[in-house]
Amino acid sequence: MPTTARTVLFDDIGGPEVLRVEDVTLPDPAPGQVALRVEALGLNRAEALFRSGTYYYQPSLPASRLGYEAAGVVTAVGEGVTELAVGDRVLTGPGIEMSAQGVYADRVVLPEASVLRRPAAVDAVTGAAAWLTYTTAYGALLETAGLRPGDHVLITGASSGVGTAAIQVARRIGAIPLATTRTEAKRQRLLELGAAEVIVPAEAGGAEGVAKEVRRLTGGKGAEVVLDAIGGPGFRPLAEALATGGTMVVYGWLDDRPAEIPRNWPFTIHTYANGALTSTPGGRRRSAAFLDAGLADGGLRPVVGEVFEGLDTIRDAHRLMESNAHTGKIVVRL
């Protein structure tokens, strides 16, 4: 029978204040769908962009939903579902369209392809913090850039969820992560997570100074890979950090000002969208296998900056996300 779910909605684009919680009728799962009881939500920068109307697709208003990542338990399955059963502990992530399927709720119904079984030893908070960060880092660094053992990789915005995941992914394959972060206060935490060196751009002299420091740290040759979350005017001088023939992968646009194409050729620029990888059966299978193996053996350990309690804290959680005061992921436990 249909039930109700406490659900986060918004009617206008704007700041965290536009978010509201309302009871929404939840249908029984249709063929190919599963129903979940949500235990925890993982917040992502994409959701703040979506809420404010600056994401790569726009919300359907009014009453748009929000959210990509959740961990929970399967409560019902629709006809034809074969990979999941009632009682399975799961996480979400791939193939979700936020306006209609956003997971900020205490119960959701999703396509089976958007739900993955959670490793037995992984609790809900860890599970909610894992999918998008690690699959983005995996897809950008390994599938797209071809990062290899012994390579240096420069990771900008390294205190973010994806940034902290990228440090661990690089270390897992034997690469050498160099990290940037905006404040000196986050340096020690990034070193503890495995960064070989941490550069604060304001202290180094901006993007030009970062590039010079990377060349110094690599004996003059530069990094084989740059993973950039920022874009904007700093993109061109940042390319000077690249080794000849290196690869820049841009996966975010925290600075939405125009970015110039660098001129220190030859090198390769890729733009990376996680959905392009994880929406394909092969990409989803490889991403999930890499994540499951890392979570199972402890080599991948999601960094959770803060845990909020209950859906009614969602505005405060978004305010913290936009403050950039945290390191890693923000999770809301239900």
Side-chain angles (χ1 to χ4, degrees):
M1 294 178 58
T3 186
T4 59
R6 295 194 75 225
T7 304
V8 175
L9 303 172
F10 62 104
D11 300 319
D12 302 289
I13 61 173
E17 69 279 358
V18 302
L19 301 177
R20 59 185 175 87
V21 180
E22 182 177 304
D23 287 341
V24 172
T25 299
L26 195 70
D28 293 332
Q33 293 183 329
V34 296
L36 314 178
R37 175 175 54 82
V38 176
E39 298 175 302
L41 304 171
L43 273 60
N44 295 280
R45 183 71 57 176
E47 291 140 26
L49 296 173
F50 189 67
R51 185 208 69 224
S52 62
T54 55
Y55 200 42
Y56 75 91
Y57 67 93
Q58 292 295 301
S60 298
L61 301 173
S64 175
R65 300 176 68 108
L66 187 62
Y68 277 129
E69 258 181 313
V73 177
V74 176
T75 58
V77 299
E79 182 181 349
V81 171
T82 58
E83 298 298 318
L84 296 167
V86 172
D88 283 349
R89 290 152 34 104
V90 294
L91 55 85
T92 72
I96 288 173
E97 194 286 316
M98 284 193 283
S99 279
Q101 301 169 322
V103 300
Y104 283 14
D106 62 3
R107 292 180 180 274
V108 294
V109 173
L110 293 170
E112 181 183 17
S114 296
V115 182
L116 302 100
R117 192 173 284 107
R118 192 178 358 138
V122 176
D123 61 72
V125 169
T126 301
W131 173 259
L132 280 179
T133 53
Y134 285 108
T135 58
T136 299
Y138 161 80
L141 291 178
L142 304 189
E143 298 240 355
T144 303
L147 186 70
R148 299 166 296 184
D151 284 352
H152 287 84
V153 53
L154 175 64
I155 302 164
T156 68
S159 63
S160 68
V162 172
T164 56
I167 290 171
Q168 294 178 27
V169 168
R171 282 295 189 191
R172 187 168 179 82
I173 70 157
I176 305 162
L178 309 174
T180 76
T181 187
R182 283 203 263 180
T183 66
E184 176 66 30
K186 296 180 179 180
R187 181 192 299 273
Q188 186 57 39
R189 182 63 177 130
L190 294 176
L191 291 171
E192 291 169 357
L193 289 171
E197 300 284 349
V198 177
I199 306 165
V200 179
E203 297 177 359
E208 294 88 347
V210 170
K212 289 178 182 177
E213 183 65 2
V214 169
R215 289 209 166 267
R216 184 188 70 80
L217 293 169
T218 57
K221 70 180 179 66
E224 283 78 13
V225 175
V226 173
L227 180 65
D228 183 42
I230 300 170
F235 182 71
R236 180 191 56 75
L238 192 65
E240 296 293 335
L242 272 177
T244 301
T247 301
M248 294 190 76
V249 181
V250 186
Y251 74 95
W253 56 93
L254 294 179
D255 187 335
D256 61 3
R257 292 175 293 173
E260 295 181 4
I261 295 177
R263 298 178 183 175
N264 55 317
W265 301 348
F267 69 94
T268 301
I269 299 175
H270 288 283
T271 55
Y272 179 78
N274 201 46
L277 174 68
T278 59
S279 63
T280 67
R284 182 174 178 270
R285 173 181 55 80
R286 295 190 300 274
S287 299
F290 185 85
L291 175 61
D292 285 352
L295 291 176
D297 66 21
L300 301 179
R301 304 173 307 281
V303 178
V304 176
E306 186 156 346
V307 178
F308 288 79
E309 300 292 342
L311 274 182
D312 293 319
T313 66
I314 195 68
R315 292 182 179 181
D316 289 336
H318 268 241
R319 290 186 183 104
L320 176 61
M321 180 163 57
E322 293 191 327
S323 76
N324 297 312
H326 62 292
T327 297
K329 288 289 285 274
I330 296 168
V331 174
V332 176
R333 182 163 45 203
L334 275 59

